[in-house]
């Protein structure tokens, strides 16, 4: 599956979201065969306000599964723009959010708190963003709350990995280029009692440092279904999705396990 051109109107809408303003109706409402997007926000259990973009296809009706997209460190939700139509065309709602300390998600209990101030505990609390996202999704009548999945890249992969073992409402996860170069007690579940990650597709390039071998090691402790897929080259994070085979594998995994 080759990367698809994103409708210009959706690109404009998402850029507007990242500039901190509300897109106009013309930017958000798309023709029936395209995607509808809107800015939303939700609270985490520990008091962060998380900003997100909500996408759905007008070609599908009824309650549908939802996929939450989690971006790498020092990026924001806009990095997922090229992948959104793949998911909405496949029938999924999509919620892409700015991880705490990133983008517009920089207020904790109404106090400015950027990632430059984060300590180890603040990183380990990032899966609470997923809890907030899942809670928001479960309140929507158009979402099948029994079918919520995560797709994360780099830092987002670590968040998805930990969430798979801590949040029972997460049905399955795709973990792309999980980071293991950090301290072993940072976003690898070491701080979680009775940690049991489950239902994960690990994806990594063979030439991306120790990412692939680390994924193999972590997969050994992951409950089925689990798969480790390796790709030639050194592509890391979302760059791996330039490979159409990798994009297709994600969609196949979601069709099977979400």
């Amino acid at each position: 599956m080759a990367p698809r051109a994103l409708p210009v109107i959706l690109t404009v809408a998402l850029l507007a979201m990242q500039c901190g303003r509300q897109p106009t109706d013309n930017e958000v409402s798309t023709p029936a065969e395209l995607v509808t997007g809107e800015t939303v926000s939700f609270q985490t259990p520990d008091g962060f306000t998380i900003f997100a973009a909500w996408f759905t296809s007008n070609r599908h009706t009824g309650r549908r599964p939802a996929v939450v997209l989690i971006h790498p460190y020092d990026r924001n939700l806009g990095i997922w723009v090229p992948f959104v139509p793949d998911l909405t065309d496949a029938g999924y709602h999509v919620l892409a959010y700015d991880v705490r300390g990133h983008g517009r998600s920089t207020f904790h209990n109404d106090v400015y708190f950027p990632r430059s101030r984060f300590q180890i505990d603040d990183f380990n609390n990032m899966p609470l963003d997923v809890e907030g996202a899942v809670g928001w999704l479960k309140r929507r009548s158009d979402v099948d709350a029994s079918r919520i999945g995560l797709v994360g890249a780099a830092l987002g992969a670590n968040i998805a990995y930990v969430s798979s073992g801590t949040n029972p409402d997460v049905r399955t996860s795709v973990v792309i280029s999980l980071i293991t170069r950090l301290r072993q007690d940072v976003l690898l579940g070491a701080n979680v009692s009775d940690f049991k990650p489950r239902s994960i597709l690990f994806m990594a390039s063979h030439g991306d440092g120790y990412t692939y071998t680390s994924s193999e090691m972590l997969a050994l402790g992951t409950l089925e279904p689990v798969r480790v897929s390796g790709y030639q080259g050194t592509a890391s994070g979302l760059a791996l999705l330039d490979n159409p085979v990798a994009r297709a594998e994600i969609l196949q995994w979601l069709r099977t396990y979400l």
Side-chain angles (χ1 to χ4, degrees), residues 46-191:
D46 62 339
F48 264 94
T49 300
I50 302 297
F51 285 86
W54 172 246
F55 299 105
T56 188
S57 171
N58 291 326
R59 292 188 298 174
H60 301 276
T61 59
R63 294 171 69 244
R64 304 201 302 279
V67 176
V68 180
L69 302 179
I70 315 172
H71 63 75
Y73 182 80
D74 201 26
R75 305 302 294 268
N76 58 45
L77 64 87
I79 197 172
W80 291 106
V81 167
F83 192 50
V84 168
D86 292 33
L87 294 169
T88 54
D89 282 357
Y92 302 107
H93 294 302
V94 177
L95 181 67
Y97 72 86
D98 284 340
V99 174
R100 62 179 59 197
H102 295 72
R104 297 176 65 195
S105 302
T106 53
F107 282 85
H108 178 243
N109 294 326
D110 296 324
V111 176
Y112 181 60
F113 191 23
R115 62 185 178 275
S116 60
R117 300 180 187 173
F118 281 16
Q119 304 297 318
I120 290 175
D121 285 347
D122 298 308
F123 284 96
N124 278 328
N125 285 335
M126 284 178 169
L128 294 177
D129 298 355
V130 174
E131 286 194 33
V134 168
W136 185 86
L137 290 170
K138 290 173 69 175
R139 291 190 292 273
R140 294 190 62 96
S141 61
D142 55 351
V143 171
D144 182 347
S146 68
R147 301 176 65 194
I148 296 174
L150 310 178
V151 179
L155 176 70
N158 290 63
I159 296 170
Y161 169 72
V162 174
S163 296
S164 77
T166 59
N167 194 319
D169 291 310
V170 173
R171 187 162 181 174
T172 195
S173 300
V174 177
V175 169
I176 307 168
S177 302
L178 182 141
I179 300 173
T180 57
R181 298 184 299 275
L182 300 173
R183 289 175 44 165
Q184 290 301 303
D185 58 348
V186 178
L187 279 176
L188 288 174
N191 65 317

Side-chain angles (χ1 to χ4, degrees), residues 18-53:
Q18 288 308 299
C19 289
R21 66 176 176 83
Q22 182 68 32
T24 67
D25 290 341
N26 288 335
E27 290 171 340
V28 177
S29 299
T30 67
E33 72 275 19
L34 297 180
V35 179
T36 297
E38 61 177 309
T39 53
V40 300
S41 64
F42 53 85
Q43 296 294 123
T44 69
D46 62 339
F48 264 94
T49 300
I50 302 297
F51 285 86

